[in-house]
């Protein structure tokens, strides 16, 4: 699930098909003695990367960074002939959520869904107080990033782009303004600059609070990176790296934006006399928020992917 590398896909290289039958340079050991079946060829790292990039490039041609709103029934239809636990969970979610919006599965889906949903909520609610607050928070992050060792030249343009989006949202609501937000978040330059900025802020937040986050990092990998800085360089800052619990905690704390994630996975316990499963729900509410603060952003998690949810009644 990577975004940036898709422009560099080597289309002349055949993708590895998983069978190892002559689909790329061989790194395998010689075959055994007479009568022994030939050992499957192990694909090179370059072959595997080429295959992944080709898959991502194909997906980029058929899906927007941020899709259109769809009824929850469209989500349920995906599993109607398969995972019945998912079907039951989605059916229960329909009581709370009316629609959802897909994001491209490119590894940046959390950050893109998070910021689009947040900006859209400001636009629809005409929450000028929150617009002013987030502008101040973003501007404060310029100094924090520089203090954290990030060069202003790297992130200043991205920060200006995000601030411009907030400024547009501060204007009176029109359908055009709503449409423009969607168009902007589908634009390669605008959308990816904003995602890059969010990744840098997340990295800086994790490194600023090293004592808090390092135990989580140790628990995430059999061979964890030796330092928080190395973890961020490998798993936070690069475009296309998937996000998990740690990333969500860091960015919600950094920007003070509460988020609810609904997990459509194998977790959950039977409810209603065993009549089905409830999706697990987790609220990420920064300590700086006043007690009782409701999430501004609602995201749906499916293994390896995040989409946007729309609660009934706004």
């Amino acid at each position: 699930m990577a975004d940036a590398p898709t422009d560099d896909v080597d289309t002349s290289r055949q993708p590895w098909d998983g069978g190892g039958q002559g689909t790329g340079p061989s790194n395998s050991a010689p075959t055994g003695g007479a009568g022994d079946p030939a050992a499957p060829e192990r694909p090179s790292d370059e072959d595997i990367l080429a295959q992944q990039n080709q898959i991502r490039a194909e997906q980029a041609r058929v899906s927007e960074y941020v899709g259109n709103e769809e009824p929850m029934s469209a989500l349920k239809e995906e599993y109607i002939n398969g995972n019945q636990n998912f079907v039951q969970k989605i059916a229960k979610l329909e009581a709370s959520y009316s629609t959802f919006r897909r994001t491209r599965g490119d590894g940046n889906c959390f950050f893109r869904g998070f910021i689009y949903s947040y900006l859209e909520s400001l636009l629809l609610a005409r929450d000028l107080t929150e617009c002013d607050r987030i502008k101040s928070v973003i501007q404060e992050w310029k100094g924090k990033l520089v203090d954290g060792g990030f060069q202003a030249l790297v992130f200043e343009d991205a920060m200006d782009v995000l601030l411009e989006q907030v400024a547009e949202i501060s204007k009176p609501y029109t359908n055009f303004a709503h449409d423009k937000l969607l168009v902007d978040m589908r634009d390669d330059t605008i959308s990816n600059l904003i995602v890059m900025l969010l990744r840098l802020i997340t990295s800086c937040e994790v490194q600023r609070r090293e004592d808090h986050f390092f135990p989580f990092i140790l628990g995430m990998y059999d061979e964890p990176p030796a330092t928080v800085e190395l973890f961020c360089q490998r798993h936070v800052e690069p475009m296309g790296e998937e996000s998990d619990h740690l990333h969500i905690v860091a960015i919600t704390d950094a920007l003070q934006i509460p988020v609810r994630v609904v997990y459509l996975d194998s977790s959950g316990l039977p409810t209603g006399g065993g009549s089905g499963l409830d999706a697990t729900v987790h609220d990420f509410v920064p300590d700086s928020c006043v007690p009782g603060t409701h999430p501004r952003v609602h995201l749906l998690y499916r293994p390896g992917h995040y989409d946007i949810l729309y609660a009934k009644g706004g």
Side-chain angles (χ1 to χ4, degrees):
M1 290 172 55
D3 191 351
T6 57
D7 293 333
D8 300 320
V9 177
D10 181 1
T11 55
S12 66
R13 187 195 302 272
Q14 286 188 329
W16 174 55
D17 68 358
Q21 301 300 316
T23 55
S26 171
N27 289 342
S28 60
T31 58
D36 290 344
E41 295 179 350
R42 182 194 180 281
S44 69
D45 292 342
E46 289 80 7
D47 289 333
I48 295 173
L49 181 60
Q51 183 203 28
Q52 291 173 341
N53 284 342
Q54 184 171 25
I55 292 171
R56 292 160 184 163
E58 289 293 335
Q59 185 177 50
R61 283 192 280 269
V62 299
S63 64
E64 299 281 5
Y65 286 132
V66 181
N68 296 320
E69 275 192 70
E70 300 179 54
M72 293 296 288
S73 57
L75 181 63
K76 186 164 58 178
E77 187 67 25
E78 293 183 25
Y79 302 100
I80 200 69
N81 295 319
N83 192 322
Q84 292 306 301
N85 283 341
F86 278 22
V87 172
Q88 293 173 10
K89 288 184 177 183
I90 296 167
K92 290 192 174 185
L93 287 176
E94 288 179 303
S96 302
Y97 295 98
S98 56
T99 56
F100 77 109
R101 191 187 294 269
R102 302 177 196 270
T103 62
R104 184 184 293 180
D106 60 359
N108 301 310
C109 52
F110 165 72
F111 287 106
R112 210 181 312 271
F114 163 78
I115 197 62
Y116 179 85
S117 180
Y118 174 69
L119 293 174
E120 185 183 39
S121 72
L122 297 186
L123 178 66
L124 296 176
R126 300 292 300 127
D127 193 338
L128 301 184
T129 300
E130 178 66 8
C131 285
D132 290 340
R133 186 199 69 82
I134 195 62
K135 281 191 289 187
S136 296
V137 170
I138 294 168
Q139 290 164 345
E140 289 171 1
W141 267 101
K142 181 175 182 177
K144 293 178 183 178
L145 286 167
V146 171
D147 290 343
F150 297 89
Q151 295 184 1
L153 184 64
V154 173
F155 64 80
E156 278 183 329
D157 287 347
M159 187 168 285
D160 288 342
V161 167
L162 180 53
L163 288 170
E164 287 170 7
Q165 292 298 314
V166 179
E168 286 292 323
I169 287 170
S170 301
K171 299 175 181 178
Y173 174 84
T174 63
N175 288 332
F176 173 78
H178 200 171
D179 292 342
K180 185 177 185 303
L181 175 63
L182 183 58
V183 169
D184 285 348
M185 286 304 297
R186 288 175 172 175
D187 178 83
D188 282 335
T189 300
I190 295 174
S191 194
N192 288 328
L193 277 174
I194 293 175
V195 170
M196 180 201 73
L197 175 64
L198 296 178
R199 285 187 173 277
L200 296 184
I201 291 174
T202 302
S203 174
C204 191
E205 176 73 6
V206 172
Q207 293 181 70
R208 290 172 72 242
R209 300 168 57 198
E210 178 175 348
D211 291 344
H212 176 76
F213 284 106
F214 194 53
F216 291 95
I217 295 170
L218 290 175
M220 288 168 60
Y221 303 94
D222 292 334
E223 297 182 6
T227 66
V228 169
E229 181 181 10
L230 189 57
F231 166 80
C232 289
Q233 291 173 354
R234 290 179 179 176
H235 302 290
V236 180
E237 295 169 19
M239 295 289 283
E241 282 294 317
E242 295 184 14
S243 303
D244 55 28
H245 187 97
L246 180 146
H247 300 71
I248 302 175
V249 171
I251 194 62
T252 53
D253 284 354
L255 299 182
Q256 301 160 47
I257 299 173
V259 173
R260 172 169 293 176
V261 178
V262 178
Y263 293 87
L264 188 61
D265 55 19
S266 59
S267 62
L269 297 172
T271 60
S275 60
L277 295 174
D278 277 331
T280 301
V281 175
H282 188 91
D283 287 349
F284 297 83
V285 181
D287 291 339
S288 58
C289 294
V290 299
T293 297
H294 296 292
R296 284 185 172 272
V297 172
H298 294 246
L299 299 176
L300 176 70
Y301 174 83
R302 290 182 276 174
H305 185 69
Y306 295 86
D307 289 314
I308 300 168
L309 285 171
Y310 291 88
K312 288 186 175 179

